[in-house]
Amino acid sequence: GMVAEGVVSQFVALDLERNSEAVLADCVDAVRGLSEMPAGVCTFCELSVPLVARLAETLGLPGPSSSAVDAARDKHRTRAAMKAAGLPSPACYRISTAADLDAAADVVGFPAVLKPLNGAASLGVKKVETRAHLDQCYADVLAEMRDTVVTSGALVKKDPLKAADADEEPIYFLMEEYLDGPEVDIDVVVARGEAAYARVVDNGPTAEPYFAETWGVCPSLLPQSDQAQLRDLAVASLKCCGFECGVFHVECKMTSRGPRLIEINARMGGGQVRKTHLLASGVDLVEETLFTSVGIPCNPHVSVDGAAVAYTYVTSPRSGAISGLAAAAERVAATDAKVVYCKPLVSEGAAVVGSDDALPDWLLDVMTTDSTADAALKHVLSIADGLDVPKYVAP
């Protein structure tokens, strides 16, 4: 394990499937039981962000406040904070039970987006077209969320043989107006209450109705004026939630009415985010997260210029079992000098879900570099098209 490899000096196992107060108490006891008090605590997992914020406060360590984290993770509270600060925000309605659906439809209208109040990785996010469709989507997503559990900071399917947890938290949703326009991520480093780094990464059109990610490219292909507005909104959104330090992954859209916030992730973005910024700017968001956790004010230095990065998640339209995909990915990585990596995300023979049936499984993660964003994006998409993934998915 990592201890034997020298990556970590000590590993402490804790049961994270208990209620949040019990897990926090266990963490506090575990830290105080160490031979030496740590200089800081941090996480890169969305579902552990509230725990780590409370752990830092309890132990008197640096980091974003739990109140700011809670405001960011509760999408309804985020919208309320933005409205109070005079920032543009889409119409929304909090849904506690099915009895709220009529009021939500009246306030928000259609088309709309239904999403869990506290969610991650687009889980349970669906586009809703009509009032009747809302009933169906609510029932489907509620069942999906009830069938998942947090294990080691990740969302996984519940064990159907395991008894229900009496401390299980209720599931709430947010319904908000559907936003048009291109979607982007703004990765932000905040120090002393101000943005020390903020860069826009374009996202490809999400695969509706599930809003699954498709591709990304940095630097952004949007006009500089649009990028500036998006950065300004991202930073203002963080400030109105109360953040004074940290690394953040802020999702927005540049709509026909201007920039609009989708959500704030109060931690470094996952997936390709770290690699993207390392290659496109030379900024290491992991380092910046660690600096924040020990109270060192961040001062990211952009050391790379003129480099572009693009990536894509490859899915299949049909469901089936994977056959031969790993070998095909290895050939691409070995023969194309502009490919940073081409890695399978599922194992040989694994059963996968296609987009024709439900939220599709990601089969491959491909990243390329080039001298311009347009060239990098065209290249990575051509690789994905050339792989002809459906032929590696046996019915």
Side-chain angles (χ1 to χ4, degrees):
M2 290 189 291
V3 174
E5 295 171 3
V7 177
V8 298
S9 62
Q10 186 176 354
F11 178 80
V12 180
L14 295 171
D15 180 4
L16 299 182
E17 293 190 30
R18 305 170 65 201
N19 67 67
S20 55
E21 290 80 8
V23 172
L24 174 60
D26 288 349
C27 288
V28 171
D29 289 344
V31 171
R32 287 177 173 163
L34 297 174
S35 58
E36 185 177 354
M37 176 64 75
V41 292
C42 70
T43 184
F44 299 95
C45 173
E46 174 64 30
L47 298 171
S48 299
V49 170
L51 169 63
V52 169
R54 285 165 172 77
L55 182 59
E57 287 180 339
T58 303
L59 297 172
L61 298 173
S65 70
S66 62
S67 61
V69 165
D70 291 347
R73 295 199 77 246
D74 183 324
K75 298 174 179 65
H76 191 259
R77 286 182 59 183
T78 304
R79 301 301 186 205
M82 293 183 69
K83 185 176 181 180
L87 298 174
S89 187
C92 65
Y93 196 92
R94 178 187 169 114
I95 298 172
S96 299
T97 70
D100 295 324
L101 297 181
D102 281 335
D106 289 342
V107 170
V108 178
F110 300 96
V113 177
L114 182 69
K115 60 178 70 173
L117 206 59
N118 297 302
S122 299
L123 180 69
V125 180
K126 293 196 75 171
K127 185 178 181 181
V128 185
E129 301 286 359
T130 65
R131 177 64 185 84
H133 192 212
L134 175 59
D135 285 331
Q136 176 191 333
C137 289
Y138 178 75
D140 291 347
V141 174
L142 183 61
E144 180 182 10
M145 297 302 294
R146 283 176 173 166
D147 197 33
T148 61
V149 66
V150 178
T151 297
S152 299
L155 286 171
V156 298
K157 289 286 185 182
K158 286 182 179 176
D159 181 352
L161 301 178
K162 189 174 181 180
D165 185 355
D167 295 323
E168 193 171 274
E169 295 182 2
I171 301 169
Y172 302 118
F173 293 88
L174 187 72
M175 180 172 162
E176 60 185 16
E177 66 177 291
Y178 175 77
L179 300 175
D180 64 359
E183 184 173 332
V184 304
D185 299 327
I186 305 99
D187 292 292
V188 186
V189 178
V190 175
R192 301 187 182 95
E194 298 296 333
Y197 174 82
R199 191 156 197 189
V200 178
V201 179
D202 291 350
N203 291 169
T206 50
E208 296 181 4
Y210 306 103
F211 297 92
E213 295 179 40
T214 52
W215 54 257
V217 64
C218 183
S220 171
L221 293 167
L222 294 175
Q224 289 296 328
S225 58
D226 287 357
Q227 293 184 50
Q229 291 182 63
L230 288 160
R231 286 194 297 268
D232 288 347
L233 179 65
V235 174
S237 300
L238 292 170
K239 288 183 176 181
C240 79
C241 286
F243 289 108
E244 296 185 353
C245 64
V247 177
F248 306 92
H249 186 68
V250 184
E251 301 174 28
C252 294
K253 273 195 171 185
M254 192 65 196
T255 76
S256 55
R257 294 178 293 159
R260 294 291 187 273
L261 177 77
I262 298 174
E263 66 181 23
I264 295 170
N265 298 284
R267 40 82 188 170
M268 185 191 84
Q272 308 92 339
V273 170
R274 183 196 184 201
K275 193 74 170 179
T276 295
H277 290 274
L278 273 172
L279 293 174
S281 67
V283 171
D284 189 338
L285 297 179
V286 167
E287 286 186 355
E288 303 304 331
T289 298
L290 297 176
F291 286 150
T292 294
S293 72
V294 296
I296 299 175
C298 297
N299 186 26
H301 174 60
V302 176
S303 59
V304 175
D305 191 24
V309 179
Y311 56 84
T312 187
Y313 282 121
V314 181
T315 63
S316 170
R318 69 167 183 249
S319 302
I322 293 298
S323 177
L325 184 61
E330 188 175 341
R331 286 194 298 272
V332 169
T335 57
D336 191 327
K338 292 183 178 179
V339 171
V340 179
Y341 58 71
C342 182
K343 55 187 179 185
L345 300 177
V346 292
S347 57
E348 187 73 7
V352 297
V353 176
S355 57
D356 287 346
D357 297 320
L359 177 66
D361 290 321
W362 290 330
L363 309 185
L364 281 174
D365 179 7
V366 188
M367 178 177 282
T368 63
T369 59
D370 215 308
S371 57
T372 68
D374 186 60
L377 180 58
K378 287 179 179 177
H379 189 53
V380 79
L381 295 180
S382 71
I383 291 172
D385 290 341
L387 279 168
D388 189 20
V389 164
K391 73 182 182 183
Y392 300 109
V393 181

